[in-house]
Amino acid sequence: MRIKCQTGEPTVASDGLTARCVGRWSEEKVYYISHYAEIFSTGMKNVFPERVYVDLFAGPGRCVRSDDGQETDGTPIKALQCKDPFTAYHFVEEATEPFNALQSRAKVSDRFQSISWYNKDANLAVKDIVTKIPRNTLTLAVIDPTGLHFTFDSLRTLTKGRKVDFIYLFPDGMDVRRNLETRYLAKPYNDLDDMLGTTSWRDAIKEERKKYPPTDDPICPDADKIVLKIFKEQIATLGYPHVTTGDDIQFKNSRQAHLYKLVFASRNPKGYEFWRKIQIIEPTGQRKMTYE
Ligand SMILES: C[S@@+](CC[C@H](N)C(=O)[O-])C[C@H]1O[C@@H](n2cnc3c(N)ncnc32)[C@H](O)[C@@H]1O
């Protein structure tokens, strides 16, 4: 099949504005995130009159499929389209072109006036955002970076003393597995330490390696699982008793390689009920067999 654009690279959509060129797996990610936003805003509207949506790595608001050029909305535009509106939206995008494109695309929404805009690093933006979210508000935060760009300190700032559900893309296959030995273990302190908020993963991996006969190949087969376990334990220290990944959602590229997981955390049992519900119907519209 003819490639329309290069996955991960910027492209131009039919409205003439910049867009993200994506594989089908990215569309599936948007599908699950936007279904959670939908069910969250409707399901909680009678309990929490103030509901806030935060998109920390918002992108330009439109995706173009790499293989056939089909266009779909990104997570921030989908959030504006929920049947029951959030009372406020906070959209963060560091790169200027996608930021401007998102603003243009959001203008057609009658909820445009409820959006606060941050054309800066998400780690800086969270410090502003938390000052604008009243304490008794229920917040849904979407953290969808392309790498390990969001620090654990920033996650703490976002969630401390507030009711925040979050969906966080954890790039276990796409980044952690691929770069562990060369980029992360090789350097004394780096993005992975910052993202996890601990260096304990280094010792955990050293221990794991002892289970295998000494070899020149430093690859640790379960490294990504160990790092994910530590990330979930770290999130638990922020007061999230159950952290889950929606293991039934698989994001694979066209070569069937596993790319990432969506980590979900809520302090409310209702959040887990919603998270389970959105996994029942697959993006294809098919009902999963594993659920009643
Ligand atoms: C995976 S895309 C987001 C996709 C979006 N959720 C969607 O559905 O289309 C990640 C975005 O984060 C932006 N970005 C990268 N580093 C950032 C940072 N430190 N702070 C804020 N935005 C950042 C990139 O420019 C990119 O547009």
Side-chain angles (χ1 to χ4, degrees), residues 20 26 29-30 33 55-63 73-76 92-95 98 120-123 142 144-146 149:
R20 299 184 61 238
S26 278
K29 172 186 70 181
V30 174
I33 293 174
D55 209 320
L56 287 169
F57 295 82
R62 177 112 356 124
C63 308
D73 291 321
T75 48
V92 183
E93 169 56 52
E94 187 180 35
K120 54 166 87 168
D121 177 5
N123 297 287
V142 173
D144 180 19
T146 41
H149 302 133

Side-chain angles (χ1 to χ4, degrees), residues 46-102:
N46 295 330
V47 191
F48 287 93
E50 302 268 321
R51 296 167 316 283
V52 171
Y53 177 88
V54 178
D55 209 320
L56 287 169
F57 295 82
R62 177 112 356 124
C63 308
V64 176
R65 214 190 262 166
S66 60
D67 54 12
D68 63 7
Q70 189 167 315
E71 297 185 16
T72 49
D73 291 321
T75 48
I77 297 293
K78 287 279 193 192
L80 290 172
Q81 295 163 351
C82 286
K83 183 164 77 62
D84 293 297
F86 288 83
T87 41
Y89 302 81
H90 296 267
F91 291 165
V92 183
E93 169 56 52
E94 187 180 35
T96 304
E97 221 187 327
F99 178 82
N100 291 340
L102 179 59

Side-chain angles (χ1 to χ4, degrees), residues 57-212:
F57 295 82
R62 177 112 356 124
C63 308
V64 176
R65 214 190 262 166
S66 60
D67 54 12
D68 63 7
Q70 189 167 315
E71 297 185 16
T72 49
D73 291 321
T75 48
I77 297 293
K78 287 279 193 192
L80 290 172
Q81 295 163 351
C82 286
K83 183 164 77 62
D84 293 297
F86 288 83
T87 41
Y89 302 81
H90 296 267
F91 291 165
V92 183
E93 169 56 52
E94 187 180 35
T96 304
E97 221 187 327
F99 178 82
N100 291 340
L102 179 59
Q103 277 198 324
S104 297
R105 289 180 175 125
K107 275 196 184 118
V108 299
S109 170
D110 57 7
R111 299 166 187 177
F112 185 76
Q113 297 306 330
S114 314
I115 310 171
S116 299
W117 296 94
Y118 310 83
N119 183 197
K120 54 166 87 168
D121 177 5
N123 297 287
L124 299 174
V126 278
K127 294 180 187 158
D128 302 342
I129 293 172
V130 292
T131 64
K132 296 184 187 166
I133 300 180
R135 292 258 167 204
N136 55 352
T137 301
L138 187 62
T139 298
L140 170 61
V142 173
I143 306 163
D144 180 19
T146 41
L148 310 181
H149 302 133
F150 197 57
T151 69
F152 193 73
D153 274 349
S154 297
L155 187 62
R156 183 183 287 115
T157 303
L158 177 70
T159 56
K160 193 171 178 188
R162 287 184 175 74
K163 294 183 176 67
V164 182
D165 284 11
F166 64 84
I167 303 172
Y168 194 144
L169 182 138
F170 180 79
D172 50 353
M174 188 171 94
D175 188 321
V176 176
R177 172 70 277 162
R178 195 182 294 168
N179 297 318
L180 192 87
E181 281 77 15
T182 51
R183 191 186 294 176
Y184 299 128
L185 269 173
K187 294 201 185 123
Y189 195 90
N190 54 56
D191 291 353
L192 186 55
D193 301 276
D194 271 342
M195 185 227 179
L196 297 173
T198 175
T199 55
S200 66
W201 61 277
R202 293 170 185 274
D203 287 340
I205 287 183
K206 270 187 214 144
E207 279 306 304
E208 178 71 11
R209 277 187 180 156
K210 287 182 189 161
K211 293 185 191 162
Y212 300 92

